[in-house]
Amino acid sequence: MISDALAGKKIAVTGTTGFLGTAIVERILRCVPDCTLVLLVRPGRRGADQRVRREILKNDCFDRLRDHLGADEFDAMATERVIAIGGDVGTDGLGLDDDGRAILAGCDIVIHSAATVSFDSEYDHAVEVNLLGPLRIAETLHDLDVCPHFVGVSTCYVAGNRKGAAAEELLTDTPFHVEVDWEVEVAAARRRRTDVEDASRTPHQLGEFAKEARSTLGAAGVAALAARSEQLRERWVSKQMTEAGRARASSLGFPDAYAFTKAMGERALIERRGDIPVSIVRPSIIESAWSEPFPGWIRGFRMAEPILINYGKGLLSQFPGSPEGIVDVIPVDIVVSAIVAVAAKGPAAKPEVFQAASGTANPFRYSDLVDLAAGWFAEHPIYDEKDQPISPPAWKYRDPGAVPNELARAKRVLDRTAKALDMLPLRGRQAQLSGELEERRDLVDRALEYVELYGSYTACEAVYQTDRLAALDAWLDPADREVFCLDPGVIDWRTYVQDIHLPSVMKIGRVKTAPTGKGGESRSARLRRSVLSPDRELAAFDLENTLIASNVVASYGWLATRRLDYPARVRLVARTLTQAPKMLALDRADRTDFLRSFYRRFDGAPVDQIDEDALEMFSDLILTKSFPAAIRRVRDHKALGHRTVLITGALDFVVEPLNPLFDDIIAPTLMTGADGRTYNGRMTDVPPTGETRAQALRDYADLHGIDLKNSVAYADSTSDLPMLDAVGFPVAVNPETKLASLARRRGWLVEIFAKSPGGPRKLMPIGTRKITPRKTA
């Protein structure tokens, strides 16, 4: 019946790069052989046709059909039956060119599945796509003077947070919570975007973003801080718009902006449809396939997946909801069957609603989901980084307000702890504690986000009626029922959760479900192997706390005290120590300003004396403070044929003895006085720190024809972030607190290099040469 009804039809489908849309395309191509599909997709950079070929038809959803036909025959079939047109339901007129309009005008059926399906959609974005999207399609069809059958995909949750039966009726035919003018909502959402954008640019708010950027990145340089500030501003705007949508939806009795804008979209479509025949399909929560195209097929994570995975990882043990509540889940293949069957049956005289849900025919209790998930994870545990199985925690059913309050308290404690740690001069392994704390904060934030996004759905007590879906199933002949299953009653929830859904989710999520084993590589080992690949071209190194456990202050102290008697040495060191807090604050604010200020202390220093003493300092201080593993790493890179360069803010005469270790050294140089015999404490150029260091690296790479995306950089501080970001393989060495957090979050290799045990440990950076008094005449 379905194949006969759709034979020779030209069917337009929107939203085909998404989960549901991809499944619709696959089922029609495989099971309805004599029709043509017109896919409306945003062109992007590739163009509409290439997006269809690469992003849709290459999906594993089509493997069953591809295997049946063979690769060449599949491509030939797709070329013959699939037409791609560039367009966007978020744009007036759908953004169609003349050819696209002509193709759309020839369609017999339009299946509209495009939507902003994210539960945390920004208010105006949800309005533009979910509310105005179907209206724009109808208006375009009016302009083309055609009236194809419009099959709109909505959601059961347009019923709002009601309790009890939710009928398959148009919203205009049911008592609505509050009568709302959708046109006013559109104007309000757009106005809200303008207001929020303006608010994000006030001096006070911009100052807050800048302050937070510096708190996160430290003295990372102007470019990095500016980029971070703008990123924070954009995130703030997004959050404000999301909260605006959530608040507006909640005030009208909807779980979120998605459900609210979908409800408004239905009302707008029915109001403005004119002579266009309309059918509406409302699925509940769409999850992985029961059987078609194969059990467990899913594209991207839906609502339940993050919650289930984090439960399996032992990170989530409570969520709002009652154990007897219904989790209305419907496999994607049943939804697709409903949509195709509705299209084949054709429109009724009056718009009809079909709800594809399981709660009436085959209710799935919240407690069933928890029990089945707990049982599965007990037999198939997720493994942690140490190859230990994680036992799923005992699940707690909590009242809606208890969970977010508890998580918010935990977040406040972690925030205070992180702030305290950030003030301590931690480095290396101790600083990694900050990264671990940051990870815990992220987990709490994520759990809180899940509660905010999905908590209202688990608390929903509506029961979605499916009488029309059952009648549609009865309309099908037995052959169609084999191919287009519409009956949620066929689902065995134990089989679905434990044998189909969870195994598929673990695979797609690349969750570690087996121990790596003693012979397996750790993550650090894999990253290290990648860093030391023969394919790399360049390895750039910082000096302080990367190659040696020393700094410019220690080097100055050694040189400045080298020829002083003991009392003078003590006075100089004591004076330097009293200035330490001021120097530390300047260094944290701007490394370049700190170096300029500090190197003024070399004013009047004899050039010859400094050169002589610097050589002795190298063996007495630099080598004793060096990290043997770091020196070996430089040699490893050279042995692999990589070019090596040291880029440091230390003065050239300090690092000159390191020349044999590197191909090149980039370091600041001091100017000399008019006689050329003494330094005047001023640098010849801007020192290579922060973004200047990154620019020096880029210039060096350009000079030698090196691809930085195939290069490595080693550094210890967020002030080096521009250089680390410039390469394809950044390595954080003995990182300070902020960099440790960033490296952990970004998945960078972290190396902990240490000095050799048993080396000299001088309490003061002073020399040991006997002072020879000058002879006087």
Side-chain angles (χ1 to χ4, degrees):
M1 293 176 64
I2 288 180
S3 291
D4 292 341
L6 296 178
K9 302 292 186 183
K10 185 178 285 186
I11 305 171
V13 188
T14 70
T16 52
T17 57
F19 174 43
L20 178 60
T22 299
I24 292 171
V25 173
E26 189 277 339
R27 185 74 69 84
I28 293 176
L29 288 179
R30 179 165 53 86
C31 301
V32 187
D34 298 322
C35 66
T36 301
L37 289 178
V38 175
L39 309 187
L40 178 75
V41 298
R42 289 193 298 272
R45 290 177 296 177
R46 293 176 172 175
D49 188 69
Q50 283 301 306
R51 286 199 70 196
V52 168
R53 307 297 163 187
R54 295 185 182 185
E55 298 179 31
I56 301 174
L57 298 178
K58 292 293 185 183
N59 188 274
D60 63 350
C61 179
F62 296 88
D63 287 352
R64 178 175 173 181
L65 181 57
R66 188 179 289 107
D67 292 343
H68 174 70
L69 295 177
D72 293 340
E73 186 64 26
F74 175 86
D75 291 342
M77 178 276 300
T79 300
E80 180 183 351
R81 296 184 57 196
V82 177
I83 302 170
I85 59 174
D88 183 358
V89 299
T91 303
D92 290 339
L94 303 182
L96 294 172
D97 59 19
D98 291 342
D99 290 341
R101 288 171 59 85
I103 293 170
L104 182 62
C107 290
D108 304 287
I109 300 168
V110 175
I111 298 175
H112 175 49
S113 70
T116 297
V117 297
S118 172
F119 295 106
D120 59 347
S121 300
E122 296 175 28
Y123 186 25
D124 59 329
H125 291 173
V127 164
E128 294 294 337
V129 177
N130 298 341
L131 195 164
L132 292 176
L135 187 62
R136 289 189 177 107
I137 295 174
E139 289 174 343
T140 301
L141 295 174
H142 289 153
D143 291 343
L144 295 171
D145 197 25
V146 294
C147 294
H149 180 196
F150 188 109
V151 180
V153 181
S154 184
T155 173
C156 284
Y157 293 93
V158 296
N161 292 326
R162 69 176 65 185
K163 298 183 179 182
E168 294 173 294
E169 296 178 349
L170 296 174
L171 296 176
T172 51
D173 296 338
T174 59
F176 200 63
H177 293 269
V178 179
E179 188 66 30
V180 176
D181 187 327
W182 61 266
E183 292 181 281
V184 172
E185 289 301 315
V186 171
R190 291 171 173 171
R191 189 167 57 249
R192 180 61 178 163
R193 165 69 65 174
T194 301
D195 292 345
V196 170
E197 288 284 355
D198 288 345
S200 75
R201 290 173 168 84
T202 62
H204 170 75
Q205 199 61 55
L206 291 173
E208 290 297 309
F209 299 142
K211 181 179 178 182
E212 186 176 348
R214 182 167 288 279
S215 173
T216 303
L217 301 183
V222 174
L225 290 172
R228 179 63 175 171
S229 294
E230 179 60 14
Q231 183 185 59
L232 290 169
R233 188 196 68 80
E234 291 172 352
R235 287 181 181 176
W236 184 85
V237 169
S238 177
K239 184 177 181 181
Q240 293 295 312
M241 292 305 298
T242 298
E243 290 178 351
R246 190 177 295 149
R248 181 57 176 151
S250 178
S251 73
L252 295 171
F254 291 93
D256 56 22
Y258 168 69
F260 171 54
T261 53
K262 275 292 192 179
M264 292 293 97
E266 278 193 30
R267 292 168 65 87
L269 174 63
I270 297 304
E271 183 180 315
R272 297 286 181 87
R273 70 184 180 91
D275 294 329
I276 298 173
V278 171
S279 301
I280 295 173
V281 178
R282 293 177 186 158
S284 55
I285 300 170
I286 307 176
E287 287 293 350
S288 66
W290 168 248
S291 63
E292 301 282 343
F294 54 83
W297 179 78
I298 191 171
R299 185 171 189 177
F301 276 3
R302 320 313 302 165
M303 172 179 159
E305 287 70 48
I307 299 172
L308 290 170
I309 288 176
N310 281 280
Y311 169 67
K313 290 181 177 180
L315 305 175
L316 194 63
S317 62
Q318 53 186 332
F319 209 78
S322 59
E324 63 268 35
I326 294 175
V327 181
D328 206 312
V329 170
I330 190 76
V332 64
D333 45 338
I334 293 180
V335 179
V336 171
S337 295
I339 292 169
V340 177
V342 167
K345 182 175 181 294
K350 179 183 177 182
E352 288 184 306
V353 174
F354 299 83
Q355 291 183 163
S358 61
T360 302
N362 189 6
F364 185 36
R365 304 290 176 184
Y366 191 4
S367 58
D368 295 334
L369 174 60
V370 172
D371 293 344
L372 290 173
W376 192 84
F377 282 116
E379 292 187 13
H380 309 87
I382 294 174
Y383 284 77
D384 61 20
E385 294 180 355
K386 298 179 181 179
D387 272 357
Q388 296 301 306
I390 301 171
S391 298
W395 190 263
K396 303 172 186 175
Y397 299 97
R398 305 295 299 275
D399 294 332
V403 179
N405 289 339
E406 189 172 317
L407 290 171
R409 283 195 298 271
K411 186 177 185 300
R412 286 194 295 271
V413 171
L414 289 170
D415 285 345
R416 287 195 293 267
T417 306
K419 188 174 181 180
L421 278 178
D422 197 40
M423 297 175 67
L424 298 175
L426 303 179
R427 183 172 293 280
R429 297 194 189 280
Q430 291 98 348
Q432 285 189 293
L433 293 174
S434 176
E436 293 171 5
L437 181 65
E438 184 71 22
E439 189 172 86
R440 299 300 302 181
R441 291 170 69 192
D442 289 344
L443 293 173
V444 171
D445 284 340
R446 208 176 306 147
L448 192 56
E449 182 182 1
Y450 295 153
V451 170
E452 291 174 348
L453 291 180
Y454 309 134
S456 55
Y457 284 87
T458 58
C460 184
E461 296 186 54
V463 179
Y464 305 108
Q465 304 299 299
T466 54
D467 296 339
R468 282 205 181 96
L469 185 71
L472 187 63
D473 182 58
W475 173 75
L476 299 179
D477 60 28
D480 275 335
R481 289 198 192 97
E482 288 293 320
V483 180
F484 298 96
C485 176
L486 299 177
D487 182 11
V490 303
I491 305 168
D492 176 81
W493 290 114
R494 179 178 297 278
T495 298
Y496 179 73
V497 172
Q498 296 190 334
D499 298 340
I500 296 175
H501 187 67
L502 280 173
S504 177
V505 167
M506 295 302 110
K507 180 180 178 181
I508 292 174
R510 297 181 179 179
V511 178
K512 187 177 178 182
T513 55
T516 304
K518 294 182 180 179
E521 271 190 318
S522 68
R523 183 173 172 277
S524 293
R526 288 195 303 272
L527 291 171
R528 193 173 296 114
R529 179 162 50 84
S530 184
V531 161
L532 291 172
S533 167
D535 296 334
R536 302 298 152 254
E537 299 180 35
L538 171 70
F541 290 82
D542 180 28
L543 178 67
E544 297 177 6
N545 296 304
T546 301
L547 297 177
I548 63 171
S550 187
N551 53 49
V552 298
V553 177
S555 299
Y556 164 77
W558 198 99
L559 292 169
T561 61
R562 181 68 187 84
R563 297 171 185 267
L564 297 179
D565 59 23
Y566 187 77
R569 293 175 180 175
V570 173
R571 287 194 298 271
L572 186 143
V573 171
R575 185 166 65 250
T576 302
L577 289 175
T578 61
Q579 297 168 343
K582 183 178 179 181
M583 289 190 291
L584 181 60
L586 183 59
D587 188 23
R588 285 182 171 178
D590 191 296
R591 180 71 172 172
T592 298
D593 288 345
F594 164 73
L595 291 178
R596 283 199 181 104
S597 173
F598 190 77
Y599 287 160
R600 295 281 192 268
R601 297 163 188 260
F602 284 95
D603 186 17
V607 173
D608 292 342
Q609 177 183 309
I610 290 292
D611 288 346
E612 180 184 348
D613 290 349
L615 286 172
E616 187 175 347
M617 180 183 67
F618 179 71
S619 61
D620 191 60
L621 177 68
I622 303 298
L623 285 182
T624 61
K625 297 286 187 180
S626 68
F627 304 133
I631 304 301
R632 285 196 299 271
R633 181 61 58 85
V634 180
R635 289 172 175 158
D636 288 341
H637 281 288
K638 293 198 76 170
L640 288 165
H642 306 160
R643 196 171 188 92
T644 57
V645 61
L646 174 66
I647 308 180
T648 177
L651 292 167
D652 57 350
F653 52 72
V654 172
V655 297
E656 185 176 358
L658 289 170
N659 264 318
L661 189 61
F662 294 93
D663 290 303
D664 293 287
I665 292 179
I666 300 173
T669 301
L670 291 180
M671 297 180 187
T672 58
D675 58 2
R677 298 171 60 185
T678 59
Y679 291 112
N680 65 11
R682 300 172 188 172
M683 289 179 284
T684 57
D685 297 294
V686 178
T689 63
E691 60 263 37
T692 308
R693 178 171 294 182
Q695 187 58 52
L697 179 61
R698 283 190 286 268
D699 292 343
Y700 183 85
D702 290 343
L703 178 65
H704 295 281
I706 291 170
D707 180 8
L708 286 181
K709 292 304 177 186
N710 199 27
S711 299
V712 187
Y714 294 80
D716 72 296
S717 170
T718 52
S719 64
D720 304 307
L721 200 55
M723 181 176 77
L724 293 170
D725 282 335
V727 300
F729 299 87
V731 181
V733 179
N734 301 332
E736 44 81 38
T737 305
K738 289 184 174 66
L739 185 61
S741 296
L742 283 169
R744 190 182 187 95
R745 192 179 307 126
R746 297 184 182 185
W748 292 352
L749 175 62
V750 175
E751 297 283 22
I752 307 299
F753 294 150
K755 295 186 297 180
S756 293
R761 303 184 65 178
K762 298 179 180 179
L763 297 178
M764 294 189 298
I766 57 177
T768 57
R769 175 184 291 180
K770 180 179 179 181
I771 304 301
T772 302
R774 292 182 180 179
K775 294 182 179 180
T776 56

